[in-house]
Amino acid sequence: MRNHEVTQRNPLLNPDGSLREPGWSRRLVQIYDRNDIKKRKTRIKEWDYYAIISHKHNVAVCFTVSDLGYLELESVSFLDFNKPYEHTQGSMAPFPMGKLAMPSTSEQGDVKVKNSKFAIDYIVKDNKRFIRCDFPSFDDGKGLKVNITLDNPPEDTMVIATPWAEDKKAFYYNQKINCMRASGKVEYDGKLYEFCPETDFGCLDWGRGVWTYNNYWYWGSGSGEVDGHRFGFNIGYGFGDTSNASENVIFYDGVVHKFDDVVFNISDNFTDPWTFTSSDGRFEMDFVPIIDRSDYTSVANLIVTDQHQVFGRMTGKAVLDDGTVIEIKDFLCFAEKVHNKY
């Protein structure tokens, strides 16, 4: 696998709408501008997804705000790995096509959604991210209220700019920010969970681009601490032309360690044990699922999303750039297989 690292700050797209420099980077060095896209607005996909896991309480909350061109989609999830139990709820609206005004960078700009059911705010300020949600009717009136702060110092992240061979004006520009320490409160069904930055962590999946119609993707992510060091990972594949770079990285104390291809070995039953293996031997893991957060949405069978985001515990080894082996055991994280037609 060739892992071309982009280091020069330039516009993301050429004048014809094609990707200027496919590859990966540690920050958002390429400049995304929705106005540079040379496809119709219904093809543009923009989203911010946060997953915040409490290793202390064995619970998680997840939030999606997305403008998918044809469809505006918000979703909120609460997961309790002790029971185990999860509930996901949200809303859809047709043809947003830019009305959400999603920021052109993850480094500044707020995202705010409010309707008759809930309010979600993502606020970026002073190297912190503030996640607010008030959803009184969540889970048959159990209610969910979230006020979480994520520490986001200027460290390495995983950024990838991926083209599609079959459509030169299609691209995906994606950033994953892992290992953000989480503090604050989550209230669900009358119970208060206080998140602690020593044990609890969040990640951001920031995505902008133009996708082809029919795609599968595989994605896995984890954030936490191992032997007193912040440790996390981002793994994935399955769409676009990744000949220039993979998105597979290990995060260790704020530094990215890049590795090559990874394969998810999954049975037809998503709650059976999984394994992960890498072409260079630097990411070898067993994964025991706890919850399959599955969701199937179809709009006239034209817009279809079939998701299996599986939360569980991972055990195995990750190898840093200098050959240091990090052993992890029962590390709470998630991995997913998703099929989208949109």
Side-chain angles (χ1 to χ4, degrees), residues 222-227 229 231-233 250-252 276 283-287 313-319 325-333:
S223 296
E225 256 194 10
V226 175
D227 297 329
H229 297 270
F231 168 84
F233 62 87
I250 299 159
F251 300 95
Y252 196 71
F276 302 87
F283 195 86
E284 303 295 320
M285 300 288 174
D286 296 318
F287 179 65
R313 296 190 179 275
M314 197 174 279
T315 298
K317 70 170 185 176
V319 182
V325 178
I326 309 301
E327 302 278 357
I328 72 167
K329 183 174 175 55
D330 298 331
F331 189 78
L332 188 57
C333 57

Side-chain angles (χ1 to χ4, degrees), residues 181-336:
R181 294 188 183 274
S183 59
K185 297 178 180 180
V186 172
E187 297 177 56
Y188 166 72
D189 194 18
K191 185 172 181 179
L192 177 65
Y193 301 87
E194 295 198 32
F195 279 43
C196 172
E198 285 75 31
T199 57
D200 304 334
F201 295 85
C203 75
L204 167 64
D205 171 16
W206 182 92
R208 303 290 187 268
V210 171
W211 287 63
T212 55
Y213 174 63
N214 189 5
N215 289 281
Y216 285 86
W217 78 60
Y218 298 82
W219 176 39
S221 179
S223 296
E225 256 194 10
V226 175
D227 297 329
H229 297 270
R230 276 186 305 146
F231 168 84
F233 62 87
N234 183 85
I235 52 177
Y237 62 98
F239 58 85
D241 176 4
T242 57
S243 60
N244 290 281
S246 78
E247 64 176 272
N248 301 315
V249 300
I250 299 159
F251 300 95
Y252 196 71
D253 285 340
V255 176
V256 153
H257 298 257
K258 192 79 183 64
F259 66 98
D260 285 342
D261 290 331
V262 68
V263 174
F264 293 32
N265 299 303
I266 317 167
S267 78
D268 291 336
N269 182 359
F270 286 90
T271 54
D272 286 344
W274 303 19
T275 62
F276 302 87
T277 187
S278 55
S279 59
D280 53 12
R282 291 182 56 191
F283 195 86
E284 303 295 320
M285 300 288 174
D286 296 318
F287 179 65
V288 179
I290 302 171
I291 293 173
D292 175 11
R293 192 182 74 85
S294 61
D295 182 56
Y296 181 85
T297 301
S298 176
V299 179
N301 207 34
L302 294 174
I303 302 171
V304 178
T305 178
D306 185 7
Q307 304 181 19
H308 290 271
Q309 185 183 39
V310 180
F311 288 77
R313 296 190 179 275
M314 197 174 279
T315 298
K317 70 170 185 176
V319 182
L320 305 184
D321 288 344
D322 65 1
T324 300
V325 178
I326 309 301
E327 302 278 357
I328 72 167
K329 183 174 175 55
D330 298 331
F331 189 78
L332 188 57
C333 57
F334 65 84
E336 68 182 30

Side-chain angles (χ1 to χ4, degrees), residues 27 107 124-130 149-154:
R27 308 290 297 175
E107 296 170 0
V124 181
K125 185 179 180 181
D126 299 331
N127 293 325
K128 296 184 185 296
R129 297 178 180 274
F130 303 91
T149 299
L150 300 177
D151 251 353
N152 186 201

